[in-house]
C-alpha cells in the first residue's frame, strides 16, 4: 500500500523511530514564568504527541542574549534543564524520541527583551519584523553588529546549550539554522555586510555554523546533532534569495556530509519562488543529490504528499507542524484515515491549556 512507508520504523543511526512522521519545531510561548522554564504543562503537550516517530521541540534559547520572543522556555539555566527533564521523561515514558531545537534569534528581537540593549546580529540590518514582547508586538529595531568576541561567546553558548540538552535527557539537538534567525542572518548576503572572516565569501558566511559543529565534536555524539535549514526563504523574516544562495547551500550541505550528523531538516519554499531562478524550487529533490545522510523534509505536507515524497526517495522522514498543534494523535488519525481537528490560530502563542493541551484525540 502506497501510504505504508510513513508508518514504517526508521533507524536514525542507533535511535529507533517508531514511524517516519516527525513533529516539527513550534514556538508556543507557554513558559510565562520567572526564569522561562518548561513546565508540567509543556511535558503534557509533548507527551500527548509522543506517538510521532520523533518530536523536535519548539526553539529553546541558548542564552539570555539569544532571546527574541517572550515566554519561550530556555535551556541555559539549571532550573530550565530541570524543567525540560519533565518533558523528556514524559515523552520517553510513552516510547517517543525527542530532540531540542537550539535557538538564537539575532536581529529578530527587541531592546525590551535585553534590558534596553540592542539585540546582537551579524550586521546593522533591521529585519523589519514585529517582535513578541511582554507588552505585545513591537517593531524590530536595528541590531548591534557582533564583535568577533560576541561570535565566539555565542558559539560557546550553543555548545553549552547542547550539553545542557543532553543533561536534560534529550535524544539529540537540532541547531536552528533556518527562518531568518541568527545563523541564517550570517548566511544571507542581505543581512550580513561583514568584512571580516564571518562575511563576504560563501565560506565566511557559513563559518559560524561549522565553528559550532567543530566545538561540539568530541564533546557530544555528533550522531545526535542535527541542523535545520530553509534555503529558499525569500521576502519574509528579513531574508532574500540572492545570486549566491544556491551555491551557498550547496557548499553548506555538501560540507555537512563530513560531520556524521543525525539528520538535516529542510524546508520547502515558504512562499512561491517559481519566478525566481536563483531560488531552489524543490528543496528535498535538490539536496537529496548532495547529502548522503538522513533528510527530514517539511512544509505543507499531508498524509498523501508525505507518502509520495518518501516513496520518491527524496526524503527519509517528513515533519508536520500545524497538523500536530491540533492533532495530538496525528499518527493514529493518519492510520485510521480519520478527519483532522482544525487548528485555532488565535491560541498558537497564548498562555495556558487552551489551544495547547485541550485538542481532542480520537478516543476521547
Ligand atoms: C506556531 C508556530 C511556531 C513555529 N515555531 C518554530 C520554531 O520555533 N522553530 C522552527 O524551526 N520553526 C518553527 N515553525 C515552523 C514550523 O516548524 C514549520 O516549518 C511550519 O509550520 C510549516 O510546516 P507545516 O506546513 O507542516 O505546518 C513554527 C510554525 C508555527 C505554525
Amino acid at each position: 500500500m502506497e501510504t505504508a512507508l510513513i508508518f514504517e520504523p526508521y533507524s536514525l543511526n542507533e535511535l529507533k523511530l517508531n514511524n517516519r512522521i516527525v513533529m516539527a519545531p513550534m514556538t508556543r510561548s507557554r513558559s510565562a514564568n520567572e526564569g522561562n522554564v518548561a513546565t508540567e504543562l509543556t511535558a503534557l503537550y509533548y507527551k500527548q504527541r509522543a506517538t510521532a516517530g520523533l518530536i523536535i521541540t519548539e526553539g529553546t534559547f541558548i542564552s539570555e542574549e539569544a532571546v527574541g520572543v517572550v515566554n519561550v522556555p530556555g535551556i541555559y539555566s539549571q532550573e530550565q534543564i530541570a524543567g525540560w527533564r519533565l518533558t523528556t521523561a514524559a515523552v520517553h515514558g510513552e516510547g517517543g524520541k525527542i530532540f531540542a531545537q537550539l535557538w538564537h534569534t539575532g536581529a529578530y528581537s527587541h531592546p525590551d527583551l535585553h534590558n534596553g540593549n540592542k539585540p546582537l546580529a551579524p550586521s546593522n540590518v533591521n529585519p523589519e519584523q514585529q517582535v513578541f514582547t511582554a507588552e505585545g508586538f513591537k517593531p524590530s529595531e536595528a541590531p548591534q553588529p557582533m564583535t568577533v568576541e560576541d561570535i565566539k561567546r555565542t558559539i560557546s553558548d550553543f555548545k553549552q546549550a547542547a550539553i545542557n540538552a543532553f543533561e536534560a535527557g534529550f535524544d539529540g539537538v537540532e541547531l536552528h539554522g533556518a527562518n531568518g534567525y541568527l545563523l541564517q542572518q550570517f548566511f544571507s548576503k542581505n543581512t550580513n555586510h561583514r568584512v571580516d572572516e564571518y562575511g563576504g565569501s560563501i565560506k565566511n558566511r557559513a563559518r559560524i555554523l561549522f565553528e559550532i559543529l567543530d566545538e561540539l565534536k568530541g564533546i557530544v555524539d555528533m550522531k545526535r546533532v542535527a541542523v535545520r535549514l530553509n534555503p529558499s526563504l525569500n521576502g519574509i523574516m528579513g531574508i532574500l534569495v540572492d545570486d549566491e544562495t544556491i551555491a551557498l547551500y550547496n557548499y553548506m550541505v555538501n560540507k555537512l556530509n563530513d560531520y556524521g550528523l543525525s539528520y538535516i531538516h529542510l524546508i520547502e519554499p515558504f512562499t512561491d519562488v517559481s519566478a525566481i531562478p536563483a531560488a531552489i524550487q524543490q528543496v528535498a529533490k535538490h539536496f537529496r543529490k548532495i547529502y548522503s545522510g538522513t533528510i527530514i523534509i517539511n512544509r505543507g505536507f499531508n498524509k498523501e504528499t508525505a507518502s509520495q515524497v518518501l516513496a520518491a526517495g527524496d526524503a527519509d522522514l517528513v515533519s508536520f507542524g500545524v497538523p500536530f498543534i491540533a492533532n495530538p494523535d496525528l499518527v493514529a488519525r493518519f492510520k485510521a484515515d480519520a478527519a483532522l481537528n482544525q487548528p485555532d490560530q488565535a491560541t498558537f502563542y497564548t498562555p495556558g491549556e487552551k489551544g495547547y493541551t485541550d485538542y481532542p484525540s480520537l478516543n476521547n
Side-chain angles (χ1 to χ4, degrees):
M1 189 182 134
E2 222 209 307
T3 55
L5 204 50
I6 58 171
F7 304 118
E8 289 289 314
Y10 184 80
S11 292
L12 200 53
N13 299 312
E14 80 283 12
L15 205 61
K16 304 284 179 241
L17 309 187
N18 291 330
N19 55 61
R20 297 168 192 218
I21 298 165
V22 176
M23 179 174 166
M26 281 179 294
T27 299
R28 305 302 314 276
S29 290
R30 258 46 181 207
S31 291
N33 53 53
E34 186 96 24
N36 295 135
V37 176
T39 64
E40 290 280 4
L41 188 65
T42 321
L44 174 62
Y45 166 73
Y46 285 113
K47 179 182 177 179
Q48 289 174 341
R49 289 155 180 78
T51 50
L54 174 68
I55 292 172
I56 304 157
T57 67
E58 60 212 275
T60 177
F61 293 129
I62 62 164
S63 65
E64 265 179 33
E65 284 178 354
V67 173
V69 184
V70 281
N71 304 336
V72 168
I75 193 145
Y76 49 88
S77 73
Q78 285 305 316
E79 206 191 351
Q80 289 167 342
I81 296 170
W84 277 121
R85 267 199 207 104
L86 303 172
T87 287
T88 58
V91 170
H92 290 152
E94 299 293 309
K97 302 287 188 293
I98 183 163
F99 274 42
Q101 190 189 50
L102 304 184
W103 193 19
H104 189 311
T105 55
Y108 196 123
S109 184
H110 194 277
D112 280 13
L113 301 171
H114 301 281
N115 302 315
N117 296 317
K118 289 180 182 181
L120 296 174
S123 300
N124 179 26
V125 180
N126 184 341
E128 310 283 351
Q129 299 293 312
Q130 292 295 315
V131 181
F132 188 18
T133 75
E135 292 167 9
F137 282 96
K138 290 193 177 180
S140 60
E141 298 178 9
Q144 176 72 36
M146 294 169 99
T147 62
V148 169
E149 199 182 305
D150 292 331
I151 295 173
K152 299 290 180 202
R153 185 179 61 255
T154 301
I155 291 168
S156 172
D157 289 341
F158 268 103
K159 176 179 73 177
Q160 188 59 49
I163 294 168
N164 293 350
F166 288 105
E167 201 184 317
F170 283 105
D171 297 297
V173 293
E174 177 181 285
L175 306 181
H176 194 345
N179 299 355
Y181 298 107
L182 182 77
L183 298 183
Q184 194 161 14
Q185 290 159 23
F186 273 94
F187 303 155
S188 288
K189 272 190 188 176
N190 76 297
T191 46
N192 183 344
H193 301 162
R194 301 180 73 89
V195 292
D196 62 3
E197 68 267 39
Y198 293 97
S201 68
I202 284 172
K203 191 174 170 195
N204 281 357
R205 283 183 279 126
R207 185 180 303 279
I208 187 169
L209 172 64
F210 295 102
E211 288 192 351
I212 295 167
L213 293 172
D214 288 336
E215 278 284 306
L216 293 176
K217 258 196 215 163
I219 292 180
V220 303
D221 181 355
M222 295 307 278
K223 293 200 294 298
R224 301 299 186 103
V225 175
V227 174
R228 189 171 210 213
L229 299 171
N230 192 340
S232 298
L233 191 64
N234 184 57
I236 48 170
M237 317 290 274
I239 298 294
L240 296 173
V241 162
D242 61 61
D243 59 336
E244 287 187 334
T245 298
I246 296 178
L248 168 90
Y249 281 93
N250 285 352
Y251 165 79
M252 287 204 293
V253 171
N254 188 37
K255 196 168 161 70
L256 288 172
N257 278 320
D258 302 338
Y259 283 82
L261 299 178
S262 179
Y263 61 82
I264 61 170
H265 189 175
L266 301 173
I267 307 175
E268 294 291 348
F270 268 179
T271 53
D272 181 5
V273 291
S274 55
I276 305 170
I280 297 164
Q281 308 294 328
Q282 292 182 290
V283 172
K285 214 175 247 321
H286 179 94
F287 289 106
R288 188 54 139 184
K289 297 192 194 84
I290 297 173
Y291 191 66
S292 57
T294 295
I295 294 178
I296 304 182
I297 192 64
N298 171 253
R299 206 203 77 81
F301 283 92
N302 58 33
K303 178 183 167 183
E304 283 67 38
T305 55
S307 305
Q308 284 159 11
V309 76
L310 295 187
D314 293 336
D316 304 288
L317 304 164
V318 179
S319 75
F320 297 84
V322 173
F324 261 116
I325 290 182
N327 298 278
D329 58 345
L330 186 67
V331 175
R333 284 175 191 258
F334 279 168
K335 275 192 181 154
D337 273 325
L340 300 184
N341 298 321
Q342 290 312 302
D344 172 16
Q345 289 209 17
T347 53
F348 278 7
Y349 306 107
T350 47
E353 297 166 15
K354 194 167 179 324
Y356 191 52
T357 51
D358 62 353
Y359 283 104
S361 292
L362 283 176
N363 56 7
N364 65 15

